[in-house]
Amino acid sequence: MPDLTSAEQRVRDAFVTGARVVFGPGTAKRDRTVRGEVLTALLTGPAPAGLPALRLVGAHVVGLLRLEGARVRHVVDLRDCVFEQPPDLRMARLTGLRLRGCRMPGLRGRNLRVGSDLVLEAGFTSDGVVDLTDAAVRGTVRLAGAVLRGGDHALLAARIRVSGSMQAIALRATGEVRLRGANFGGNVHLGGARLINPGQDALEATGVQVAGTLFCDAEGGRFTAEGRVLLPGARVGGDVVFSGARLRSSAVDRPVLVIPRGTADEAASLVADRVRVDGNVELDDGFTASGTVRLPGAEVGGYLRLSGAVIGRPEALEVLDRADEHIPVALHADGMVVRGDLEARGAVDGGFRGDGARESALRVYGQVRLVDAHVRGSASLSGVRLHGPGIDVLFADRLRVGGTLFLRELRAEGSLRLQNAEIGSTLDCAGAVLERPRRRPDGSVKPSLDARVATVGKDLLCDDGFHAAGGVRVRLAEVGKMANFAGARLGGPAGGIALNAYGLTVPQLVLRLGEDRVPEGRVLLTRARATAVYDGPGLWAATGGVAVEDFTFTSIDSTPPVDVGTRLRWLRRVQPDFAPGPYEQLAAVYRDGGEEELAQRVQLEKQHRRYSELGWAGRVWGFLQRWTVGYGYRPWLAIAWLTAFWLVGSLWFAGHEMTRLNEDEVPVWNPWLLSVDLLVPIVDLGHDGKWRFTGASQWISSTLIAVGWILASTAAAGAARVLKRI
């Protein structure tokens, strides 16, 4: 060992007994300077008797502390010491290492082995890289309050193996903190940490394994990352908690294709692709991310909480009108599986923004993607604010929700796309306001709510102030109990289709729209099937008309009740071109309800419209059928007309006796039988052809013959129709 200074001699003497050497803050630098070579010799030389340990406070270490490959069986406990060169601990085996409050230009510790805790906390400061790659710690890694200034990399701890936890509360790191492939037997605490690496990765923890919980929350201050947080392929046995965290990122991934159109430069703040979490994922309580939060293929064993979060930046929406079809993505969770609930409603107690104001709902600037996602519980986005004007702000094709999907009081600029979604219970959109829907390339608007071919186990609720400026599409959807649009505002000034319910299947269809809720656009009920329908005058006043061809239902009702005449006027209004199907359906409803007279009235109206749209001959024939036999639905009219003409003819001939046509025959004059013989065709009662008709009697007899043929023909046509109905 080289000649020792007085300070080094003190250190050597104390090392033998494990005593602590304290150099006070007033001690001159030369009196507290210790050479690294001396410390190396003490730790690697022959072990003295007793319990030796290196315990220093306030020392200034010059030269290199070099323990590369060494096996040190003594405790190393340094506090508030200053190193001029990075200690070299590569491949060393240490019983314990504590460097509380120490300052150094870096730490070289690749493949380091520590038999107990590794303590780099309480003001530990490194102005270079702390390299713990492939290290193993049989205790806890403590970095609470540490300050790491490493340039491109602050902490390199890839594949580190820690038997206990990692305590890094209030850590300050400038440069990347790398935990790629690390394995922790307990929790990882990064609450209040501030990780700064703009434009790059602030925390790189790809494939990290945490047996306990990963805390990146507001404990000890607000967790802040200036740069991306990477957790793809991570495995967490407990929860992942980012409550109150603030993530800022300017790192831009390469453009990715966005279905159904365009590309997205996902400047991601949090990348957690394929993460597996046995517990909950909490991105709530004031969580803020300026870039994309990526969770595609993630599996969450508990619930996913987004209440009170703010994701995306308002300025990202300024590119939406560009020709390059750029679509900002705020939350990307395609293929995600959540075994509990997805909760984005309201905020937990203590939720805050940076200015201290409390938040009550998730706010998103950009697209939320949940394509092929599966939430086994319920998903609540009630009160959420989604901003994505002109795009599908919620893109959730084939989303599966085991319980209820709550969208109550949601406010969205953009369209909600739920094509082929499966909702186990209720899709609740009551009170939602959907504005500025997605636009097609030709400028026309897409539906504000697009649930085409969706399956809803119980109810579809679009009532209680629901407003869809681009209309609603539930084409070929299946709803288990009720689809309720009572009082909804459907469509907007752009027109188009206000409600597309083509092929919708539902037991109860509620379209109770008042005169102040007239749909702005066309309503398609073609081929829809319902057991009970509840309508209102606003529905049938839709500005684009109502298509009802092949619309089938068992009953129809309105509040207040509507008479058959009103319904027929509504039907005439929405069907400028005649089609028999809607009339047949309405008549069948009345007939099945025991209202045969109302059913006949509907059938009369159907025949009237049918003949009124034919040529002049058809219209004349229809006129005759209507007023003679009621198109076969009122055969008693023919008898009434025959009786009337018989009486008129009989009275006339009673006062105007005719002369015999043949003097050889002597028929008995009977005006009553003569009138019958003239009126009834084919049947001969022996009076027709026996008398000479002259003057007015000639015209009257001809009229009776013509009327008889007309009434007989219409009566026969009516009878055939009646028999056909029977």
Side-chain angles (χ1 to χ4, degrees):
M1 182 177 294
D3 294 338
L4 303 179
T5 65
S6 59
E8 292 170 345
Q9 188 63 49
R10 287 181 60 190
V11 172
R12 178 182 179 182
D13 294 342
F15 174 75
V16 174
T17 61
R20 186 181 304 276
V21 177
V22 179
F23 297 103
T27 305
K29 181 177 179 180
R30 68 177 179 274
D31 295 332
R32 54 187 175 88
T33 299
V34 180
R35 286 172 291 175
E37 293 82 355
V38 173
L39 299 180
T40 300
L42 289 174
L43 294 172
T44 59
L51 295 174
L54 181 62
R55 293 185 171 92
L56 293 178
V57 178
H60 186 89
V61 182
V62 297
L64 178 62
L65 173 60
R66 183 171 183 175
L67 300 174
E68 181 181 5
R71 185 180 183 88
V72 179
R73 301 181 183 278
H74 320 303
V75 172
V76 179
D77 185 357
L78 308 180
R79 181 189 293 271
D80 299 329
C81 295
V82 177
F83 289 77
E84 290 188 354
Q85 294 188 38
D88 188 353
L89 307 178
R90 292 175 295 174
M91 296 178 288
R93 293 176 178 271
L94 307 180
T95 299
L97 179 61
R98 294 191 285 271
L99 299 172
R100 293 185 179 93
C102 293
R103 296 178 61 91
M104 57 188 62
L107 177 63
R108 303 171 69 185
R110 294 179 70 93
N111 292 290
L112 171 67
R113 301 292 185 270
V114 180
S116 58
D117 291 351
L118 173 60
V119 182
L120 308 173
E121 63 181 3
F124 172 86
T125 302
S126 174
D127 292 322
V129 179
V130 175
D131 189 353
L132 298 174
T133 303
D134 292 311
V137 179
R138 293 177 61 85
T140 297
V141 174
R142 299 184 180 277
L143 286 162
V147 178
L148 310 180
R149 307 186 190 99
D152 291 339
H153 300 95
L155 173 63
L156 294 177
R159 299 177 299 280
I160 188 173
R161 298 184 301 280
V162 181
S163 300
S165 62
M166 177 176 176
Q167 301 288 339
I169 295 174
L171 170 70
R172 298 293 183 267
T174 302
E176 178 185 315
V177 173
R178 179 175 295 178
L179 300 175
R180 179 188 301 167
N183 190 314
F184 298 94
N187 299 328
V188 174
H189 292 269
L190 287 165
R194 184 176 179 85
L195 313 181
I196 311 298
N197 196 22
Q200 301 296 326
D201 299 331
L203 174 61
E204 212 286 52
T206 300
V208 68
Q209 296 187 38
V210 181
T213 294
L214 172 61
F215 292 99
C216 296
D217 54 1
E219 181 182 357
R222 186 167 187 166
F223 176 85
T224 301
E226 299 279 351
R228 293 190 304 182
V229 175
L230 300 183
L231 295 170
R235 302 292 186 272
V236 181
D239 301 336
V240 172
V241 183
F242 279 84
S243 300
R246 175 179 291 167
L247 310 182
R248 298 192 184 98
S249 176
S250 57
V252 179
D253 296 337
R254 60 185 180 181
V256 297
L257 179 66
V258 175
I259 304 298
R261 65 182 178 91
T263 60
D265 293 330
E266 294 189 341
S269 292
L270 174 61
V271 178
D273 301 25
R274 305 175 308 283
V275 67
R276 301 291 185 271
V277 181
D278 292 344
N280 306 320
V281 174
E282 301 184 13
L283 309 176
D284 61 345
D285 198 9
F287 171 83
T288 302
S290 63
T292 304
V293 173
R294 290 181 52 90
L295 294 167
E299 291 187 11
V300 181
Y303 59 75
L304 171 62
R305 191 176 182 89
L306 296 164
S307 302
V310 179
I311 303 177
R313 297 173 292 113
E315 53 268 27
L317 305 181
E318 298 175 1
V319 302
L320 292 180
D321 294 330
R322 295 181 182 176
D324 60 1
E325 303 280 352
H326 183 102
I327 297 177
V329 176
L331 176 61
H332 187 175
D334 291 356
M336 175 182 66
V337 176
V338 179
R339 291 184 171 84
D341 295 342
L342 189 159
E343 178 61 61
R345 171 174 50 187
V348 298
D349 293 339
F352 62 94
R353 295 198 305 260
D355 57 5
R358 294 181 184 273
E359 287 291 347
S360 60
L362 168 68
R363 285 186 292 145
V364 176
Y365 299 92
Q367 186 178 80
V368 175
R369 296 180 59 88
L370 295 172
V371 177
D372 291 308
H374 185 189
V375 179
R376 296 188 179 179
S378 294
S380 176
L381 290 108
S382 296
V384 166
R385 302 296 187 265
L386 304 179
H387 302 275
I391 66 172
D392 291 315
V393 68
L394 175 61
F395 188 15
D397 285 5
R398 300 177 299 280
L399 169 67
R400 290 181 292 165
V401 178
T404 296
L405 175 56
F406 292 99
L407 301 175
R408 294 182 65 89
E409 305 294 334
L410 178 141
R411 298 292 184 271
E413 292 180 330
S415 295
L416 309 184
R417 177 166 164 158
L418 296 166
Q419 293 184 12
N420 296 97
E422 296 181 15
I423 312 300
S425 182
T426 297
L427 174 55
D428 189 352
C429 302
V433 177
L434 314 179
E435 300 177 321
R436 303 180 69 180
R438 177 185 161 196
R439 289 189 173 273
R440 299 182 178 91
D442 62 2
S444 60
V445 298
K446 296 280 283 184
S448 288
L449 174 60
D450 186 355
R452 179 171 52 185
V453 202
T455 302
V456 180
K458 190 178 178 183
D459 297 330
L460 169 61
L461 305 179
C462 296
D463 57 344
D464 195 20
F466 175 81
H467 179 203
V472 173
R473 177 193 286 169
V474 286
R475 180 184 176 93
L476 299 175
E478 296 183 7
V479 181
K481 184 178 178 182
M482 177 175 62
N484 190 353
F485 294 89
R489 290 186 179 274
L490 304 175
I497 299 178
L499 174 61
N500 185 346
Y502 179 99
L504 170 68
T505 302
V506 59
Q508 298 181 57
L509 178 57
V510 182
L511 295 168
R512 194 175 288 121
L513 304 176
E515 296 179 352
D516 59 338
R517 292 291 188 270
V518 174
E520 297 186 57
R522 187 166 176 77
V523 174
L524 298 181
L525 298 175
T526 306
R527 296 190 178 180
R529 291 178 294 170
T531 302
V533 176
Y534 304 90
D535 63 353
L539 169 67
W540 304 102
T543 59
V546 182
V548 291
E549 189 66 24
D550 294 327
F551 175 34
T552 59
F553 47 91
T554 303
S555 67
I556 188 166
D557 195 8
S558 182
T559 304
V562 174
D563 58 39
V564 65
T566 301
R567 292 204 175 279
L568 291 175
R569 286 196 300 272
W570 289 348
L571 200 54
R572 177 179 285 273
R573 177 193 302 166
V574 301
Q575 274 204 307
D577 297 323
F578 169 72
Y583 290 96
E584 293 287 353
Q585 175 61 49
L586 184 58
V589 169
Y590 283 128
R591 188 180 303 112
D592 293 342
E595 301 286 349
E596 187 63 36
E597 293 183 358
L598 299 182
Q600 288 186 4
R601 185 170 175 182
V602 174
Q603 294 287 11
L604 286 170
E605 178 65 14
K606 180 192 75 172
Q607 296 298 335
H608 173 62
R609 291 206 60 189
R610 172 191 173 191
Y611 285 104
S612 64
E613 295 186 10
L614 300 177
W616 67 268
R619 288 195 295 271
V620 170
W621 178 244
F623 176 82
L624 291 175
Q625 287 209 65
R626 180 181 183 184
W627 293 107
T628 55
V629 292
Y631 302 110
Y633 297 99
R634 295 176 178 175
W636 54 268
L637 280 176
I639 299 174
W641 281 109
L642 285 171
T643 302
F645 276 94
W646 171 66
L647 289 174
V648 171
S650 299
L651 293 174
W652 172 265
F653 291 123
H656 301 79
E657 185 175 347
M658 299 294 101
T659 60
R660 293 192 300 272
L661 184 62
N662 189 345
E663 294 295 337
D664 296 333
E665 297 181 1
V666 187
V668 178
W669 174 253
N670 189 326
W672 306 97
L673 290 178
L674 175 60
S675 182
V676 172
D677 213 358
L678 291 172
L679 275 172
V680 179
I682 301 175
V683 178
D684 186 3
L685 298 179
H687 284 264
D688 187 14
K690 304 295 183 180
W691 310 99
R692 184 188 303 276
F693 298 97
T694 60
S697 297
Q698 186 177 14
W699 289 102
I700 290 176
S701 63
S702 299
T703 300
L704 292 176
I705 294 172
V707 167
W709 276 105
I710 292 173
L711 290 176
S713 300
T714 55
R721 189 173 293 113
V722 170
L723 291 174
K724 184 178 180 180
R725 290 204 315 270
I726 296 175

